[in-house]
Amino acid sequence: MNGLRGAIRDPHPLALLDAASMLAVATETDPIADLRAQVTGRPVREKPVARDGFIEMLLDVGERETDALLLVWAHMLGDEAAGDRIRREVRSRRHPLPRWLHHLDEVRPTRAVQISHVLDDGDNLFIGVETPGRSFTIVLYIDHNMGTIPKDGYTVDQPIGELIGFSERQSVPDTTMTELLLEDARARLEEVLLNESRLLDPFENDGWPGARPLLQWMIRLMPEGGEGYERTEWTDAALRGILDDFAGSPFAEGADSDTLDRVATLFSFASNYGRADPLHWSAVVVEIMLVDLLPRKMLASQKYLRGMPDAIRRVVRFAHAERSIPSVYTDEALGAVDEYAPQFRQQITGGATRRPVLGAASDDAIRALADEAIRTLSDSSDVDGFDDFLLRDTAARVGGFRVLDELDDTPLPDEPLALAAIPAAAREAAAQIDELLDRVCMEFFQNVELRTAARRMLAQIAVTDPHTIVRGKAVNTAAAICFIVGHANDQFSTHARTRPTFTIKDMVAFLGVKNPPNDRATGLLRALGIKYRDWLDAGYPLGDATLLIAAERAELVAQRDRLRSSLEED
């Protein structure tokens, strides 16, 4: 109450708007709080006060301070029914409130400016907001390396023109300032906040997410129909073209076939993560590659992996020359290779590891729990060769070496869909899909374990990205889930002699689906952070033993024991 009283007395409306935004965050529900706590290792936070009940309580209190807060919420929260009731009850009490509170419909965003750096690691987005008599600015830092997400956000009680003028006078080198149409700013901000909603460990600081409800209010007031961030889908042909350019450059001097293969791998990784740009190589990108992505996701022999730092140095020099990046940033990136190469070597040979970066895709965060402490190849961490590669591949299929060590062939239990863990907005769609999964698994595949695996995958996708479950026809989603889980469990393979095999054509015909499930499967896998082409080329790995039936795990256990025996002999 004292804080609200002080905010009302402040001559600038931003004081009360900030307070209202932070209190709105405190009443937000988090449908996956338990999952966040499990992944991050942090204790579950206290459950927030239910917003509807809190509004009812404030209406009953009826004090000047609480009524001022409610008037702001009537506009900020975007709940028309609650807003109409608040306005009726509060105005009937006729409290002496600042005049601007009765003109909140005049609050509006007026201008959007983006400031970018030549390295393109992230952008600062400035949103100018006008209120009756005073203006302020919302500033959001958007990190592209972590998946185009908000890394910091705050408000400034100055007009956007003053802040932009100050930035221009600072003459920060190698930055560009771009005026954005409000509809384009809206499209970008909606994309950024959607990406944040998929994180299991989002960033928090003094101003963020406290400023998020205020920003969301302004987003709703911006025009629709704008263009978001441009994303290039790098085809194999395009990547080969870049590799050819590299091979013909002075940076490939003395490179053997293995080095060229490593460079091709680096271009591929860079085109699929972070900025999704094969020529985006800053010091931060180098760090992420060496301490997280390469040791966690790459399956290769020790000899091959030990050559990656040198390949990165070549790629950095080439990419910066192609993009005309100032040499000072090239030196920084090369320095990052020197700094993190020892840690990379330690990780790939089974030494102590650092917790992987949690940020980009939430499935990466989940899998990191199984991977982060298990980089050791048991008794054979320094063995090169094909058996080493196959063992790493086997571990990747189940979620890491620790999972592989404990793997057994106990049948999956017959369990229902975990509807309670699914966000409420997606539960109805998930229930419809579950009915179809039950039908195809029990009548077509006739496999209770496969039904459990399919239900678990459905729950994972619904928790990670509820919008993916809601979109599209339920039957298409069910077909795609069975397509993915069936491939992962070798149900469509002609070499699986010990169990029945099925055809995809017969499965989709059973469900009455006209189109092949590939396109829908691409979207579902993307929600789990898996690129369809990589999944296809690598033999359908999901990296999750809980989605594998007993027969598939029995084969992996046999392969594990055979490979380890061979490595021990070597």
Side-chain angles (χ1 to χ4, degrees):
M1 293 292 282
N2 288 336
L4 289 174
R5 190 173 300 120
I8 294 172
R9 291 172 179 168
D10 194 296
H12 202 301
L14 183 58
L16 183 57
L17 295 177
D18 270 343
S21 188
M22 287 187 285
L23 284 168
V25 170
T27 64
E28 289 179 345
T29 57
D30 184 358
I32 56 171
D34 293 337
L35 183 59
R36 290 185 198 277
Q38 179 185 349
V39 170
T40 62
R42 300 172 185 168
V44 179
R45 296 179 179 176
E46 293 184 13
K47 291 186 178 180
V49 178
R51 182 173 289 170
D52 291 343
F54 192 49
I55 290 175
E56 290 294 328
M57 183 186 73
L58 295 180
L59 285 170
D60 289 341
V61 170
E63 296 291 339
R64 176 171 177 259
E65 294 80 6
T66 54
D67 282 355
L69 169 65
L70 288 171
L71 280 178
V72 174
W73 274 9
H75 291 78
M76 179 180 288
L77 301 182
D79 186 333
E80 291 186 12
D84 289 342
R85 184 183 174 196
I86 288 170
R87 282 186 283 270
R88 284 196 308 271
E89 293 201 24
V90 170
R91 286 172 180 171
S92 69
R93 291 197 271 262
R94 301 184 180 278
H95 287 304
L97 297 170
R99 184 176 179 181
W100 66 268
L101 274 173
H102 299 290
H103 298 275
L104 284 167
D105 53 352
E106 298 177 21
V107 177
R108 59 190 179 91
T110 57
R111 185 182 177 191
V113 178
Q114 177 176 289
I115 298 180
S116 306
H117 189 266
V118 67
L119 287 177
D120 207 21
D121 283 333
D123 304 317
N124 276 306
L125 190 54
F126 294 74
I127 305 297
V129 181
E130 186 178 286
T131 69
R134 305 292 286 270
S135 298
F136 66 91
T137 307
I138 304 174
V139 184
L140 192 69
Y141 178 69
I142 300 162
D143 190 311
H144 295 306
N145 290 324
M146 302 297 289
T148 308
I149 60 168
K151 196 171 185 179
D152 194 7
Y154 53 92
T155 58
V156 182
D157 61 355
Q158 296 178 28
I160 186 172
E162 292 185 13
L163 289 182
I164 296 303
F166 175 78
S167 297
E168 290 176 326
R169 291 191 297 274
Q170 297 303 303
S171 299
V172 180
D174 306 315
T175 58
T176 57
M177 193 173 296
T178 307
E179 290 278 349
L180 297 179
L181 297 173
L182 286 179
E183 52 264 39
D184 291 342
R186 174 174 182 157
R188 295 185 183 201
L189 287 167
E190 286 178 336
E191 179 182 337
V192 167
L193 295 185
L194 177 61
N195 291 339
E196 183 192 39
S197 71
R198 296 168 173 166
L199 296 178
L200 287 172
D201 194 18
F203 286 96
E204 295 183 7
N205 47 60
D206 290 343
W208 192 263
R212 185 173 58 215
L214 178 56
L215 176 62
Q216 290 171 319
W217 177 17
M218 294 304 104
I219 291 173
R220 292 196 301 273
L221 297 177
M222 294 178 185
E224 297 184 84
E227 296 183 1
Y229 289 99
E230 293 184 5
R231 288 287 185 269
T232 300
E233 186 69 27
W234 293 93
T235 64
D236 292 341
L239 291 175
R240 279 196 300 271
I242 295 176
L243 182 62
D244 289 343
D245 291 341
F246 171 84
S249 73
F251 307 103
E253 184 177 350
D256 57 16
S257 59
D258 280 348
T259 299
L260 290 176
D261 188 72
R262 293 184 187 100
V263 169
T265 298
L266 291 171
F267 285 147
S268 178
F269 264 74
S271 69
N272 284 287
Y273 297 97
R275 202 68 178 91
D277 180 352
L279 297 180
H280 178 220
W281 286 87
S282 66
V284 177
V285 174
V286 169
E287 178 188 358
I288 292 173
M289 283 286 177
L290 285 175
V291 305
D292 180 36
L293 285 177
L294 293 179
R296 182 159 55 89
K297 287 185 170 289
M298 191 170 180
L299 299 173
S301 69
Q302 294 291 309
K303 180 180 178 181
Y304 186 92
L305 289 171
R306 283 195 291 268
M308 293 307 286
D310 175 66
I312 291 177
R313 292 185 183 93
R314 292 174 182 269
V315 167
V316 166
R317 293 189 178 99
F318 168 75
H320 284 207
E322 290 288 299
R323 294 280 170 83
S324 300
I325 302 295
S327 60
V328 62
Y329 304 116
T330 307
D331 293 340
E332 285 182 1
L334 295 175
V337 179
D338 295 336
E339 180 179 355
Y340 296 108
Q343 185 174 333
F344 171 74
R345 287 191 291 270
Q346 191 177 38
Q347 287 181 254
I348 64 172
T349 56
T353 65
R354 191 179 87 170
R355 182 177 180 83
V357 179
L358 296 180
S362 51
D363 77 292
D364 283 349
I366 296 172
R367 283 200 276 266
L369 290 177
D371 287 344
E372 60 185 335
I374 44 80
R375 305 284 177 215
T376 310
L377 239 179
S378 193
D379 299 326
S380 52
S381 63
D382 263 333
V383 176
D384 295 333
F386 194 56
D387 284 349
D388 184 3
F389 172 83
L390 287 178
L391 187 59
R392 286 174 174 272
D393 179 73
T394 305
R397 290 175 178 276
V398 298
F401 282 106
R402 176 174 294 173
V403 179
L404 184 61
D405 288 342
E406 300 172 356
L407 196 66
D408 59 34
D409 59 355
T410 303
L412 293 181
D414 182 6
E415 63 185 33
L417 176 67
L419 268 178
I422 296 174
R427 284 178 193 163
E428 182 177 352
Q432 294 175 357
I433 296 166
D434 181 44
E435 291 180 5
L436 294 163
L437 293 178
D438 175 68
R439 181 173 161 231
V440 71
C441 289
M442 298 308 296
E443 297 179 25
F444 180 78
F445 289 109
Q446 298 182 6
N447 192 314
V448 174
E449 285 188 83
L450 204 67
R451 179 176 64 181
T452 295
R455 284 171 168 171
R456 288 176 176 180
M457 169 162 276
L458 171 60
Q460 285 183 14
I461 297 170
V463 168
T464 303
D465 187 0
H467 305 284
T468 297
I469 294 300
V470 175
R471 290 195 300 267
K473 294 181 179 179
V475 67
N476 291 336
T477 302
I481 289 175
C482 290
F483 171 79
I484 295 169
V485 173
H487 266 308
N489 285 284
D490 224 13
Q491 297 298 298
F492 304 117
S493 172
T494 58
H495 71 262
R497 302 301 183 191
T498 60
R499 42 191 147 131
T501 59
F502 308 87
T503 68
I504 298 168
K505 181 179 179 181
D506 288 343
M507 183 195 74
V508 296
F510 176 83
L511 282 170
V513 177
K514 296 181 179 179
N515 299 320
N518 307 58
D519 288 344
R520 186 61 174 143
T522 299
L524 298 182
L525 288 168
R526 187 185 301 117
L528 295 173
I530 303 172
K531 191 174 181 181
Y532 178 82
R533 175 53 59 185
D534 293 343
W535 175 74
L536 198 67
D537 292 344
Y540 318 109
L542 292 175
D544 188 345
T546 67
L547 301 179
L548 301 179
I549 62 176
E552 183 67 15
R553 280 180 282 116
E555 292 185 8
L556 292 174
V557 167
Q559 180 162 293
R560 174 198 67 190
D561 295 343
R562 177 182 62 78
L563 290 170
R564 285 208 163 135
S565 175
S566 174
L567 288 168
E568 285 173 0
E569 291 176 4
D570 290 341

